[in-house]
Amino acid sequence: MIWRVVLAQKRDFYEVLGVNKDAGEDEIKKAYKRLAKKYHPDLNPNNKEAEVKFKEINEAYEVLSDSSKKSNYDRFGHAASGGGSGGFEGFNGFGDFGNFGDFGSFSDIFDSFFGGSPKTADRQQSQRGSDIRQSLELTFEDAAKGVEKSISVTRMESCHDCNGSGAKKGKSQVNCSVCGGLGQIKTTRNTMMGSFVNITTCHHCGGMGKVIEDPCDTCRGSGRIRKSHSIKIKIPAGIDGGQIITLRGEGDAGVRKSQSGDLHVVITVKHHPIFTRKGYNVYCTVPITFVEAALGAEIEVPTIDGKVTLSIPEGTQVGTMFRIKSKGISHLNDSGRGDEYVNVDLEVPKNLNLQQKKLIEELGKSLGLHHHKNKESFFDSMKKYFGF
């Protein structure tokens, strides 16, 4: 079955590659390589125009790189391939999409451009060491001010005996005999629709392209061993619970000297008996006596830097909040600092003796506490809304 779709008048193949008709094999090859790199779909994702140009370039090179096809094309033009005025016949009008002339498969052309095919890049990426996630608990003060800590991490490290190669000293890895060092096995199937290329990971070397004939006794050929390692971490001032510090390259070592993973340290902060934190501000509650609230006083209050003196003005009410500037948490990675808020809680005396009770009653009478304006207003509101 032949499918023929007329899309547009085909351009001259020499024009497509930008070379003269007397161009030699090397010049044609160089032009193709340059243009294929420019318009390759992997470098132009979701770009339909680049995809069309890439197919056009591939078709031109397929003809001009073959001396027999080139000779026929020079004599008969596009009619030499049965392509007529344009379009494609089967899938061969664009050539085999998985095969690129004497460049071989897509992986071959990618190797020539970038030093590795997508499959190769994927294999290298997949051999990166794993990330490690570990918790570190800090005191409230350490989180607020910053501190240096040492943590013990058990991770995969490069074997010291084989230097991560997996092979015994004096021995080296060799190319896989099955895939020839490519890490992939390519099979081509010819059908009436064209040639289809299937690339799979080599089962013998696991896609590495190398095998170890004489493995290291220490790591048994893996190139890595599990070890515990102490790592110092600088905890920045102002860090909070749930935040993560990432140490690049401090995770598991990569397979056979490839990139190491990262260490993610998750911070937790211990509960503090006095302070609570909201953002960069610190809150605490300080009890004061009835006398201090009524007459005013100078009291000592705690901060994360130590004790400071706070002036309680005369007539301070229960629940009054006082602000102490710049005694809160340091801003993370910044020079600013939060404040401390002190909530005063009136401490009511207990177990009064008769004399003390009598004195308080007399004080209440002299102050008129039984006829407190706010109290009367409150009960008036209760009668209005609740009927009692």
Side-chain angles (χ1 to χ4, degrees):
M1 179 185 294
I2 296 177
W3 295 348
R4 189 184 302 278
V5 178
V6 178
L7 299 176
Q9 182 67 35
K10 282 189 178 181
R11 288 202 298 154
D12 178 76
F13 285 158
Y14 291 100
E15 180 185 347
V16 169
L17 295 183
V19 296
N20 296 323
K21 289 191 175 183
D22 58 354
E25 181 181 342
D26 288 343
E27 187 178 351
I28 291 173
K29 190 172 184 178
K30 184 181 295 183
Y32 168 71
K33 191 174 180 180
R34 174 178 55 81
L35 292 170
K37 178 180 179 181
K38 180 178 179 181
Y39 293 108
H40 197 283
D42 281 1
L43 301 179
N44 299 274
N46 302 319
N47 188 332
K48 295 296 183 183
E49 183 180 353
E51 182 179 341
V52 171
K53 285 183 178 292
F54 182 73
K55 292 176 180 178
E56 184 182 42
I57 293 162
N58 182 58
E59 183 184 13
Y61 181 73
E62 183 183 7
V63 172
L64 298 184
S65 63
D66 185 296
S67 58
S68 177
K69 291 181 181 180
K70 180 176 182 295
S71 177
N72 287 335
Y73 177 75
D74 288 342
R75 293 176 62 191
F76 304 110
H78 291 300
S81 62
S85 62
F88 60 87
E89 183 177 347
F91 285 112
N92 291 322
F94 294 133
D96 299 327
F97 192 69
N99 199 325
F100 302 94
D102 66 357
F103 277 95
S105 68
F106 164 67
S107 63
D108 297 327
I109 189 173
F110 206 96
D111 282 339
S112 68
F113 291 155
F114 309 110
S117 70
K119 291 287 186 181
T120 303
D122 288 345
R123 289 200 310 275
Q124 292 172 345
Q125 180 65 23
S126 67
Q127 301 306 307
R128 176 185 180 272
S130 299
D131 290 348
I132 298 175
R133 191 179 180 92
Q134 189 158 323
S135 295
L136 175 62
E137 188 177 53
L138 302 175
T139 65
F140 189 94
E141 289 82 1
D142 285 345
K145 298 179 180 180
V147 69
E148 186 175 275
K149 289 283 187 179
S150 293
I151 63 171
S152 180
V153 178
T154 300
R155 63 186 182 187
M156 300 299 295
E157 298 188 353
S158 291
C159 176
H160 54 82
D161 283 345
C162 67
N163 196 26
S165 70
K168 276 187 178 179
K169 287 184 178 180
K171 303 291 183 178
S172 60
Q173 302 174 34
V174 297
N175 282 343
C176 174
S177 59
V178 176
C179 65
L182 295 176
Q184 304 165 334
I185 297 175
K186 182 177 71 173
T187 56
T188 303
R189 183 165 58 92
N190 295 316
T191 70
M192 62 184 296
M193 304 290 288
S195 297
F196 292 87
V197 178
N198 184 39
I199 300 177
T200 58
T201 300
C202 177
H203 64 277
H204 185 62
C205 64
M208 295 298 295
K210 300 282 186 180
V211 293
I212 299 170
E213 293 183 330
D214 199 357
C216 169
D217 292 330
T218 303
C219 64
R220 299 181 181 180
S222 69
R224 303 187 302 172
I225 55 175
R226 185 168 293 279
K227 291 180 65 177
S228 292
H229 190 70
S230 182
I231 299 176
K232 286 187 177 181
I233 305 176
K234 286 187 176 180
I235 309 297
I239 200 164
D240 202 358
Q243 293 181 321
I244 298 174
I245 298 174
T246 297
L247 303 179
R248 302 295 181 192
E250 294 292 352
D252 284 339
V255 176
R256 297 180 189 176
K257 301 181 182 181
S258 56
Q259 184 182 1
S260 295
D262 300 329
L263 173 62
H264 303 288
V265 181
V266 183
I267 300 299
T268 61
V269 180
K270 292 180 181 178
H271 170 76
H272 197 281
I274 297 175
F275 302 118
T276 57
R277 174 176 176 172
K278 293 181 182 179
Y280 291 113
N281 295 325
V282 172
Y283 292 79
C284 72
T285 298
V286 176
I288 60 174
T289 66
F290 169 76
V291 175
E292 289 172 329
L295 303 181
E298 298 285 324
I299 65 170
E300 285 189 335
V301 297
T303 72
I304 58 176
D305 297 323
K307 293 180 180 180
V308 298
T309 300
L310 177 65
S311 294
I312 303 297
E314 179 180 322
T316 294
Q317 301 298 306
V318 175
T320 300
M321 190 83 74
F322 295 93
R323 176 189 177 198
I324 306 176
K325 292 188 65 176
S326 300
K327 286 297 181 180
I329 308 291
S330 296
H331 291 181
L332 190 62
N333 300 321
D334 197 359
S335 58
R337 189 169 177 180
D339 302 323
E340 178 173 332
Y341 289 88
V342 180
N343 178 41
V344 292
D345 184 28
L346 187 61
E347 201 169 37
V348 179
K350 298 179 181 180
N351 302 319
L352 299 175
N353 57 39
L354 291 174
Q355 183 181 3
Q356 291 169 335
K357 290 179 180 180
K358 186 176 181 180
L359 289 173
I360 291 178
E361 287 177 356
E362 291 177 356
L363 176 63
K365 290 177 181 179
S366 66
L367 294 176
L369 296 181
H370 295 293
H371 302 284
H372 197 288
K373 290 183 179 180
N374 290 340
K375 184 176 180 181
E376 291 175 355
S377 176
F378 174 74
F379 282 106
D380 287 341
S381 296
M382 285 183 62
K383 290 178 182 180
K384 178 180 179 181
Y385 289 102
F386 299 104
F388 60 81

